[in-house]
Amino acid sequence: MSESQVWEAVDAYFTAHLAPDDEVTAAALRDSEAAGLPRINVTANQGKLLKLLAEIQGARTILEIGTLGGYSTIWLARALPADGRLISLEYDPRHAEVAVRNIARAGLDKLVEVRVGAALESLPRLADENPPPFDLVFIDADKGNNPHYLEWALRLTSTGSLIVVDNVVRSGRVLDAGSTDGDVRGTRAAIELIGSHPRLTGTAVQTVGAKGYDGFALARVLA
């Protein structure tokens, strides 16, 4: 087998034993594909990781930036208590429509609200509502705006909150300081912000698997 085939096979083995899709999550993937949504959702293993992080965090409130078809939303919302709240921001109305259906089928529509529009417009409106600090923020939208999303995440969280930034390796292209690619530039800016900001401590982890070579960053909010 090629290296990438090994990665996929190992991912499949882990998924089968640790994070198998059930009827609800499998249907969310099917409906997303049938609607023509890009196949850029997190894997089942990554979804299970998000759920575990939210549970470890004891999260009662979660903010997600980038809903797509609601697959990661479902994993995250399943970690919430009955009185928890998850707000997910999605730019594309068609994606949001699919996500809302998937979330309702999962029985999580009372916990989850999907807001449609550009996140950098939705975030100031959310801040104006003065919500309680979010316990966990998952950033998985257009990568060029990652540093801006990170700044907003800081405004909407408090000491001890956890921020997760997805897709930070870019198949190794994150190394290219001279890149003109907006996704790479935004990712590098976010990583460097985590490393330099006085209210953040964090790390990044490289991953391989069904989605190829990538990774994620974790940052904890300090006092």
Side-chain angles (χ1 to χ4, degrees):
M1 289 192 290
S2 69
E3 191 174 59
S4 62
Q5 288 174 323
V6 172
W7 296 347
E8 291 189 31
V10 171
D11 227 16
Y13 169 75
F14 287 156
T15 296
H17 289 279
L18 303 174
D21 275 311
D22 53 33
E23 291 183 9
V24 168
T25 53
L29 292 176
R30 283 198 307 271
D31 284 7
S32 295
E33 185 172 358
L37 272 59
R39 300 181 67 179
I40 55 174
N41 52 274
V42 303
T43 64
N45 274 329
Q46 292 167 329
K48 182 66 173 290
L49 174 63
L50 289 172
K51 181 175 183 285
L52 286 170
L53 288 172
E55 290 172 339
I56 292 166
Q57 185 71 2
R60 303 181 67 84
T61 55
I62 297 174
L63 173 63
E64 179 181 50
I65 303 175
T67 317
L68 195 61
Y71 185 73
S72 57
T73 319
I74 291 169
W75 278 106
L76 285 164
R78 283 177 167 178
L80 288 171
D83 60 347
R85 184 188 192 200
L86 189 156
I87 295 176
S88 189
L89 309 181
E90 174 54 46
Y91 174 76
D92 191 315
R94 186 169 57 93
H95 295 180
E97 184 179 343
V98 174
V100 167
R101 290 199 302 268
N102 286 334
I103 292 162
R105 179 172 48 217
L108 297 166
D109 46 315
K110 290 183 172 58
L111 297 177
V112 178
E113 177 186 358
V114 178
R115 299 190 179 188
V116 182
L120 291 181
E121 296 175 4
S122 298
L123 287 163
R125 290 195 290 267
L126 176 59
D128 286 343
E129 297 171 18
N130 196 30
F134 288 95
D135 300 312
L136 187 149
V137 179
F138 179 45
I139 300 173
D140 189 16
D142 54 310
K143 312 308 174 187
N145 279 316
N146 272 348
H148 304 302
Y149 297 146
L150 189 55
E151 290 278 13
W152 276 107
L154 267 171
R155 299 186 200 186
L156 291 163
T157 53
S158 63
T159 303
S161 295
L162 181 66
I163 301 171
V164 184
V165 186
D166 203 12
N167 307 125
V168 299
V169 173
R170 318 303 305 165
S171 298
R173 290 181 294 123
V174 72
L175 287 175
D176 187 359
S179 176
T180 58
D181 184 306
D183 289 347
V184 172
R185 292 170 66 88
T187 298
R188 285 178 60 90
I191 292 294
E192 290 163 20
L193 181 59
I194 291 172
S196 63
H197 201 288
R199 291 190 59 222
L200 289 173
T201 181
T203 191
V205 177
Q206 300 181 74
T207 61
V208 295
K211 298 287 289 294
Y213 174 38
D214 210 332
F216 59 91
L218 292 175
R220 192 165 179 82
V221 180
L222 305 175

